[in-house]
Amino acid sequence: SLNVETRIAAAQNLIVSFHSLLSTGSPDNETVSTELVYSLKRLFRGLSSVRNAARQGFSLALSELLHLLHTHDIPSSPTLPSSPTSLLSLFKEVNVQNTVSSSDKDKKDSKIATIFAIQAFINSGIFINKEYCKKDLKINECLIDVVDLLWDAAMFKQYLMESSMSCVILLIYQ
């Protein structure tokens, strides 16, 4: 929606539903994992949308969901990404599926989705949560991959350079 309040309400509803799912005592690990992975994939796919203001809404919801993942005790599951590296891998997997045809428009949408996704990662605080990152044995490679993805987007089109480099600067200052 073009309405900021509508986007915020949708993100809040998503997070509230996960909070209630997690607060029901001991939730079924597979149910939580399935719902979270589905939501992450849906939000990642939405970042490629060309509808008016869709990327902003999906990015907002993604930031909040990523924040929930690294700040709450979520039951572990083999299917649930549990580190910045595995979350970034999931994003890249979904983003590649979105660009199978590899037209210039699809590539552009993929690069923009990458910038929005990484901005959501940064806004969620996932890279500065020491306890969460400590468990990620490949965090250094993940951060290098993030910078590479942003550089790739910046080099793709001139108008993506400022947004890409602003993400790199935000990442450095975190």
Side-chain angles (χ1 to χ4, degrees):
S1 171
L2 291 175
N3 186 318
V4 175
E5 289 81 21
T6 303
R7 289 195 303 265
I8 290 171
Q12 283 176 332
N13 288 339
L14 177 70
I15 300 308
V16 165
S17 70
F18 278 112
H19 274 289
S20 64
L21 182 65
L22 292 169
S23 66
T24 59
S26 72
D28 173 34
N29 290 5
E30 267 322 296
T31 302
V32 172
S33 177
T34 302
E35 292 295 320
L36 282 169
V37 170
Y38 171 79
S39 295
L40 285 166
K41 286 181 176 181
R42 180 66 191 98
L43 293 171
F44 287 149
R45 274 196 290 287
L47 295 174
S48 295
S49 176
V50 294
R51 289 182 297 127
N52 289 339
R55 288 185 176 117
Q56 291 90 330
F58 285 109
S59 182
L60 172 65
L62 179 60
S63 287
E64 292 301 318
L65 187 56
L66 291 171
H67 182 77
L68 177 88
L69 281 172
H70 77 86
T71 58
H72 288 74
D73 189 25
I74 295 177
S76 63
S77 166
T79 59
L80 181 64
S82 59
S83 69
T85 300
S86 60
L87 287 162
L88 186 64
S89 293
L90 180 63
F91 165 72
K92 290 182 346 185
E93 173 190 317
V94 169
N95 203 29
V96 165
Q97 290 171 358
N98 281 348
T99 60
V100 173
S101 72
S102 296
S103 70
D104 280 347
K105 182 188 174 314
D106 288 341
K107 288 178 185 173
K108 177 193 76 153
D109 292 338
S110 172
K111 302 300 181 191
I112 293 171
T114 297
I115 294 168
F116 272 88
I118 293 172
Q119 184 70 53
F121 274 73
I122 292 167
N123 290 346
S124 76
I126 203 165
F127 294 127
I128 58 172
N129 183 325
K130 291 179 183 171
E131 291 303 312
Y132 192 72
C133 288
K134 195 181 339 180
K135 297 182 261 183
D136 190 349
L137 300 177
K138 297 181 179 182
I139 189 65
N140 292 337
E141 291 91 350
C142 177
L143 292 172
I144 290 169
D145 200 13
V146 165
V147 173
D148 284 345
L149 288 167
L150 289 168
W151 181 255
D152 206 36
M155 294 297 105
F156 181 71
K157 293 285 184 187
Q158 180 71 35
Y159 58 83
L160 298 177
M161 188 172 288
E162 184 177 346
S163 299
S164 298
M165 292 304 107
S166 113
C167 285
V168 171
I169 290 167
L170 285 171
L171 189 60
I172 290 169
Y173 282 106
Q174 275 196 346

